CSV table of all heavy atoms in Angstrom, one decimal:
chain,number,residue,atom,x,y,z
A,24,THR,N,119.3,-156.6,128.4
A,24,THR,CA,119.7,-156.8,129.9
A,24,THR,C,118.8,-157.9,130.5
A,24,THR,O,117.6,-157.9,130.4
A,24,THR,CB,119.5,-155.4,130.6
A,24,THR,OG1,120.2,-154.4,129.9
A,24,THR,CG2,120.0,-155.5,132.0
A,25,ARG,N,119.5,-158.8,131.2
A,25,ARG,CA,118.8,-159.9,131.9
A,25,ARG,C,119.3,-159.9,133.3
A,25,ARG,O,120.4,-159.4,133.7
A,25,ARG,CB,119.2,-161.2,131.2
A,25,ARG,CG,118.9,-161.3,129.7
A,25,ARG,CD,117.4,-161.1,129.4
A,25,ARG,NE,117.2,-161.1,127.9
A,25,ARG,CZ,117.0,-162.2,127.2
A,25,ARG,NH1,117.0,-163.4,127.7
A,25,ARG,NH2,116.7,-162.0,125.9
A,26,VAL,N,118.5,-160.5,134.2
A,26,VAL,CA,118.8,-160.7,135.6
A,26,VAL,C,118.8,-162.1,136.0
A,26,VAL,O,117.9,-162.9,135.6
A,26,VAL,CB,117.9,-159.8,136.5
A,26,VAL,CG1,116.5,-160.2,136.4
A,26,VAL,CG2,118.4,-159.8,137.9
A,27,THR,N,119.7,-162.5,136.8
A,27,THR,CA,119.7,-163.8,137.5
A,27,THR,C,119.8,-163.6,139.0
A,27,THR,O,120.7,-162.9,139.5
A,27,THR,CB,121.0,-164.6,137.1
A,27,THR,OG1,120.9,-164.9,135.7
A,27,THR,CG2,121.0,-166.0,137.8
A,28,VAL,N,118.8,-164.2,139.7
A,28,VAL,CA,118.7,-164.1,141.2
A,28,VAL,C,119.2,-165.4,141.8
A,28,VAL,O,118.5,-166.4,141.6
A,28,VAL,CB,117.3,-163.7,141.6
A,28,VAL,CG1,117.2,-163.6,143.1
A,28,VAL,CG2,116.8,-162.5,140.9
A,29,LEU,N,120.3,-165.4,142.5
A,29,LEU,CA,120.9,-166.6,143.1
A,29,LEU,C,120.0,-167.0,144.3
A,29,LEU,O,119.9,-168.3,144.5
A,29,LEU,CB,122.3,-166.4,143.5
A,29,LEU,CG,123.2,-166.1,142.3
A,29,LEU,CD1,124.7,-166.2,142.8
A,29,LEU,CD2,123.1,-167.1,141.2
A,30,GLY,N,119.5,-166.1,145.0
A,30,GLY,CA,118.6,-166.4,146.1
A,30,GLY,C,119.2,-167.5,147.1
A,30,GLY,O,120.3,-167.5,147.4
A,31,HIS,N,118.3,-168.5,147.4
A,31,HIS,CA,118.7,-169.5,148.4
A,31,HIS,C,119.7,-170.5,147.9
A,31,HIS,O,120.2,-171.4,148.7
A,31,HIS,CB,117.5,-170.2,149.0
A,31,HIS,CG,116.6,-169.3,149.7
A,31,HIS,ND1,115.6,-168.5,149.2
A,31,HIS,CD2,116.6,-169.1,151.1
A,31,HIS,CE1,115.0,-167.8,150.1
A,31,HIS,NE2,115.6,-168.1,151.3
A,32,VAL,N,120.1,-170.5,146.6
A,32,VAL,CA,121.1,-171.3,146.1
A,32,VAL,C,122.4,-171.1,146.9
A,32,VAL,O,123.2,-171.9,147.1
A,32,VAL,CB,121.3,-171.1,144.6
A,32,VAL,CG1,122.6,-171.7,144.1
A,32,VAL,CG2,120.2,-171.6,143.8
A,33,GLN,N,122.6,-169.8,147.3
A,33,GLN,CA,123.8,-169.4,148.1
A,33,GLN,C,123.9,-170.1,149.4
A,33,GLN,O,125.0,-170.2,150.0
A,33,GLN,CB,123.8,-167.9,148.2
A,33,GLN,CG,123.9,-167.1,147.0
A,33,GLN,CD,123.4,-165.7,147.1
A,33,GLN,OE1,124.2,-164.8,147.4
A,33,GLN,NE2,122.1,-165.5,146.9
A,34,ARG,N,122.8,-170.5,150.0
A,34,ARG,CA,122.8,-171.1,151.3
A,34,ARG,C,123.0,-172.6,151.3
A,34,ARG,O,123.2,-173.2,152.3
A,34,ARG,CB,121.4,-170.8,152.0
A,34,ARG,CG,121.1,-169.4,152.3
A,34,ARG,CD,119.9,-169.4,153.2
A,34,ARG,NE,119.5,-168.0,153.6
A,34,ARG,CZ,120.1,-167.3,154.5
A,34,ARG,NH1,121.1,-167.9,155.2
A,34,ARG,NH2,119.7,-166.1,154.8
A,35,GLY,N,122.7,-173.2,150.2
A,35,GLY,CA,122.5,-174.7,150.1
A,35,GLY,C,123.8,-175.5,149.8
A,35,GLY,O,124.8,-174.9,149.4
A,36,GLY,N,123.7,-176.7,149.9
A,36,GLY,CA,124.7,-177.7,149.4
A,36,GLY,C,125.9,-177.9,150.4
A,36,GLY,O,125.8,-177.6,151.6
A,37,ILE,N,126.9,-178.5,149.8
A,37,ILE,CA,128.0,-178.9,150.6
A,37,ILE,C,128.9,-177.7,151.1
A,37,ILE,O,129.3,-176.9,150.2
A,37,ILE,CB,128.9,-179.9,149.7
A,37,ILE,CG1,128.1,-181.1,149.3
A,37,ILE,CG2,130.2,-180.3,150.4
A,37,ILE,CD1,128.7,-182.0,148.3
A,38,PRO,N,129.3,-177.7,152.3
A,38,PRO,CA,130.1,-176.6,152.8
A,38,PRO,C,131.5,-176.8,152.2
A,38,PRO,O,132.1,-177.9,152.1
A,38,PRO,CB,130.1,-176.7,154.3
A,38,PRO,CG,129.8,-178.1,154.5
A,38,PRO,CD,128.9,-178.5,153.4
A,39,THR,N,132.2,-175.7,152.0
A,39,THR,CA,133.6,-175.7,151.5
A,39,THR,C,134.5,-176.2,152.7
A,39,THR,O,134.1,-176.1,153.8
A,39,THR,CB,134.1,-174.3,151.1
A,39,THR,OG1,134.0,-173.4,152.2
A,39,THR,CG2,133.3,-173.8,149.9
A,40,PRO,N,135.7,-176.7,152.3
A,40,PRO,CA,136.7,-177.1,153.4
A,40,PRO,C,136.9,-175.9,154.4
A,40,PRO,O,137.0,-176.1,155.6
A,40,PRO,CB,137.9,-177.4,152.7
A,40,PRO,CG,137.4,-177.9,151.3
A,40,PRO,CD,136.3,-177.0,151.0
A,41,ALA,N,136.9,-174.6,154.0
A,41,ALA,CA,137.2,-173.5,154.8
A,41,ALA,C,136.1,-173.4,155.8
A,41,ALA,O,136.3,-173.1,157.0
A,41,ALA,CB,137.4,-172.2,154.0
A,42,ASP,N,134.8,-173.6,155.4
A,42,ASP,CA,133.7,-173.5,156.3
A,42,ASP,C,133.6,-174.6,157.3
A,42,ASP,O,133.3,-174.5,158.4
A,42,ASP,CB,132.4,-173.4,155.6
A,42,ASP,CG,132.0,-171.9,155.3
A,42,ASP,OD1,132.4,-171.0,156.1
A,42,ASP,OD2,131.3,-171.7,154.2
A,43,ARG,N,134.0,-175.8,156.8
A,43,ARG,CA,134.0,-177.0,157.7
A,43,ARG,C,135.1,-176.8,158.8
A,43,ARG,O,134.8,-177.1,160.0
A,43,ARG,CB,134.4,-178.3,156.9
A,43,ARG,CG,133.4,-178.6,155.9
A,43,ARG,CD,133.7,-179.9,155.2
A,43,ARG,NE,133.2,-180.0,153.8
A,43,ARG,CZ,133.3,-181.1,153.1
A,43,ARG,NH1,133.8,-182.2,153.5
A,43,ARG,NH2,132.7,-181.0,151.9
A,44,ILE,N,136.2,-176.2,158.4
A,44,ILE,CA,137.3,-176.0,159.4
A,44,ILE,C,136.9,-175.0,160.4
A,44,ILE,O,137.1,-175.1,161.6
A,44,ILE,CB,138.6,-175.7,158.7
A,44,ILE,CG1,139.1,-176.9,157.9
A,44,ILE,CG2,139.7,-175.2,159.7
A,44,ILE,CD1,140.2,-176.6,156.9
A,45,LEU,N,136.4,-173.8,159.9
A,45,LEU,CA,136.0,-172.7,160.8
A,45,LEU,C,134.9,-173.1,161.8
A,45,LEU,O,135.0,-172.9,163.0
A,45,LEU,CB,135.5,-171.5,159.9
A,45,LEU,CG,135.1,-170.3,160.7
A,45,LEU,CD1,136.3,-169.7,161.5
A,45,LEU,CD2,134.5,-169.2,159.8
A,46,ALA,N,133.9,-173.9,161.2
A,46,ALA,CA,132.8,-174.4,162.1
A,46,ALA,C,133.4,-175.3,163.2
A,46,ALA,O,132.9,-175.2,164.3
A,46,ALA,CB,131.8,-175.1,161.2
A,47,SER,N,134.3,-176.2,162.8
A,47,SER,CA,134.9,-177.1,163.8
A,47,SER,C,135.6,-176.4,164.9
A,47,SER,O,135.5,-176.7,166.0
A,47,SER,CB,135.8,-178.1,163.0
A,47,SER,OG,135.0,-178.9,162.1
A,48,ARG,N,136.4,-175.4,164.5
A,48,ARG,CA,137.2,-174.5,165.4
A,48,ARG,C,136.3,-173.8,166.4
A,48,ARG,O,136.5,-173.8,167.6
A,48,ARG,CB,138.1,-173.6,164.7
A,48,ARG,CG,139.2,-174.3,163.9
A,48,ARG,CD,140.1,-173.2,163.2
A,48,ARG,NE,140.9,-172.5,164.1
A,48,ARG,CZ,141.6,-171.4,163.8
A,48,ARG,NH1,141.6,-170.9,162.6
A,48,ARG,NH2,142.4,-170.9,164.7
A,49,PHE,N,135.2,-173.2,165.8
A,49,PHE,CA,134.2,-172.5,166.6
A,49,PHE,C,133.5,-173.4,167.6
A,49,PHE,O,133.3,-173.0,168.7
A,49,PHE,CB,133.3,-171.7,165.7
A,49,PHE,CG,133.7,-170.4,165.2
A,49,PHE,CD1,133.0,-169.7,164.3
A,49,PHE,CD2,135.0,-169.9,165.6
A,49,PHE,CE1,133.4,-168.5,163.7
A,49,PHE,CE2,135.4,-168.6,165.1
A,49,PHE,CZ,134.6,-168.0,164.2
A,50,GLY,N,133.1,-174.6,167.1
A,50,GLY,CA,132.4,-175.5,168.0
A,50,GLY,C,133.3,-176.0,169.1
A,50,GLY,O,132.8,-176.0,170.3
A,51,MET,N,134.5,-176.3,168.9
A,51,MET,CA,135.4,-176.7,170.0
A,51,MET,C,135.6,-175.5,170.9
A,51,MET,O,135.6,-175.7,172.2
A,51,MET,CB,136.8,-177.1,169.4
A,51,MET,CG,136.7,-178.6,168.9
A,51,MET,SD,138.4,-179.2,168.4
A,51,MET,CE,139.3,-179.0,170.0
A,52,ALA,N,135.9,-174.3,170.4
A,52,ALA,CA,136.1,-173.2,171.3
A,52,ALA,C,134.9,-172.9,172.2
A,52,ALA,O,135.1,-172.5,173.3
A,52,ALA,CB,136.5,-171.9,170.4
A,53,ALA,N,133.7,-173.0,171.6
A,53,ALA,CA,132.5,-172.7,172.4
A,53,ALA,C,132.3,-173.7,173.5
A,53,ALA,O,132.0,-173.3,174.7
A,53,ALA,CB,131.3,-172.8,171.4
A,54,ILE,N,132.4,-175.0,173.3
A,54,ILE,CA,132.2,-176.0,174.4
A,54,ILE,C,133.3,-175.9,175.4
A,54,ILE,O,133.1,-176.1,176.6
A,54,ILE,CB,132.1,-177.4,173.8
A,54,ILE,CG1,131.5,-178.4,174.8
A,54,ILE,CG2,133.4,-178.0,173.2
A,54,ILE,CD1,130.1,-178.1,175.2
A,55,ASP,N,134.6,-175.6,175.0
A,55,ASP,CA,135.6,-175.3,175.9
A,55,ASP,C,135.3,-174.1,176.8
A,55,ASP,O,135.6,-174.2,178.0
A,55,ASP,CB,137.0,-175.1,175.2
A,55,ASP,CG,137.5,-176.4,174.6
A,55,ASP,OD1,137.0,-177.5,175.0
A,55,ASP,OD2,138.5,-176.3,173.8
A,56,ALA,N,134.8,-173.1,176.2
A,56,ALA,CA,134.4,-171.9,177.0
A,56,ALA,C,133.3,-172.2,178.0
A,56,ALA,O,133.4,-171.7,179.1
A,56,ALA,CB,133.9,-170.8,176.0
A,57,VAL,N,132.3,-173.0,177.6
A,57,VAL,CA,131.3,-173.4,178.5
A,57,VAL,C,131.9,-174.2,179.7
A,57,VAL,O,131.6,-174.0,180.9
A,57,VAL,CB,130.2,-174.3,177.8
A,57,VAL,CG1,129.3,-175.0,178.8
A,57,VAL,CG2,129.4,-173.4,176.9
A,58,THR,N,132.8,-175.1,179.4
A,58,THR,CA,133.5,-175.9,180.5
A,58,THR,C,134.2,-175.0,181.4
A,58,THR,O,134.3,-175.3,182.6
A,58,THR,CB,134.4,-176.9,179.8
A,58,THR,OG1,133.7,-177.7,178.8
A,58,THR,CG2,135.0,-177.9,180.8
A,59,GLU,N,134.9,-174.0,180.9
A,59,GLU,CA,135.7,-173.1,181.8
A,59,GLU,C,134.9,-172.0,182.4
A,59,GLU,O,135.4,-171.1,183.0
A,59,GLU,CB,136.8,-172.5,180.9
A,59,GLU,CG,137.8,-173.5,180.3
A,59,GLU,CD,138.6,-173.0,179.2
A,59,GLU,OE1,138.5,-171.7,178.9
A,59,GLU,OE2,139.3,-173.8,178.6
A,60,HIS,N,133.5,-172.1,182.2
A,60,HIS,CA,132.6,-171.0,182.7
A,60,HIS,C,132.9,-169.6,182.2
A,60,HIS,O,132.8,-168.7,183.0
A,60,HIS,CB,132.6,-171.1,184.3
A,60,HIS,CG,132.2,-172.4,184.8
A,60,HIS,ND1,130.9,-172.9,184.8
A,60,HIS,CD2,133.0,-173.4,185.4
A,60,HIS,CE1,130.9,-174.1,185.3
A,60,HIS,NE2,132.1,-174.4,185.7
A,61,ARG,N,133.3,-169.6,181.0
A,61,ARG,CA,133.5,-168.2,180.3
A,61,ARG,C,132.2,-167.9,179.6
A,61,ARG,O,132.0,-168.3,178.5
A,61,ARG,CB,134.8,-168.3,179.4
A,61,ARG,CG,136.0,-168.7,180.1
A,61,ARG,CD,137.2,-168.7,179.2
A,61,ARG,NE,137.5,-167.4,178.7
A,61,ARG,CZ,138.5,-167.1,177.9
A,61,ARG,NH1,139.3,-168.1,177.4
A,61,ARG,NH2,138.8,-165.9,177.5
A,62,ASP,N,131.4,-167.2,180.3
A,62,ASP,CA,130.0,-167.0,179.9
A,62,ASP,C,129.8,-165.7,179.1
A,62,ASP,O,130.6,-164.8,179.2
A,62,ASP,CB,129.1,-167.0,181.1
A,62,ASP,CG,129.2,-168.3,181.9
A,62,ASP,OD1,129.6,-169.3,181.3
A,62,ASP,OD2,129.0,-168.2,183.1
A,63,ASP,N,128.7,-165.7,178.4
A,63,ASP,CA,128.2,-164.4,177.7
A,63,ASP,C,129.3,-163.9,176.7
A,63,ASP,O,129.6,-162.7,176.7
A,63,ASP,CB,127.8,-163.4,178.7
A,63,ASP,CG,126.9,-163.9,179.8
A,63,ASP,OD1,126.2,-164.9,179.5
A,63,ASP,OD2,126.8,-163.3,180.8
């Protein structure tokens, strides 16, 4: 029996297209909310 610990490898590197798209959508929605004074 052997063990492999992925650790911080899971955090690093190039984001997938899905994460780039989700991040872009969230960023736009957040700044639009600030502009519209939709707080908290």
Side-chain angles (χ1 to χ4, degrees):
T24 307
R25 307 293 176 91
V26 61
T27 296
V28 181
L29 296 189
H31 291 86
V32 170
Q33 297 158 91
R34 294 190 181 279
I37 298 171
T39 60
D42 270 329
R43 300 183 204 186
I44 293 167
L45 182 63
S47 299
R48 295 179 71 189
F49 278 175
M51 281 189 55
I54 195 66
D55 287 349
V57 166
T58 304
E59 297 164 6
H60 300 287
R61 301 181 68 180
D62 307 329
D63 309 337

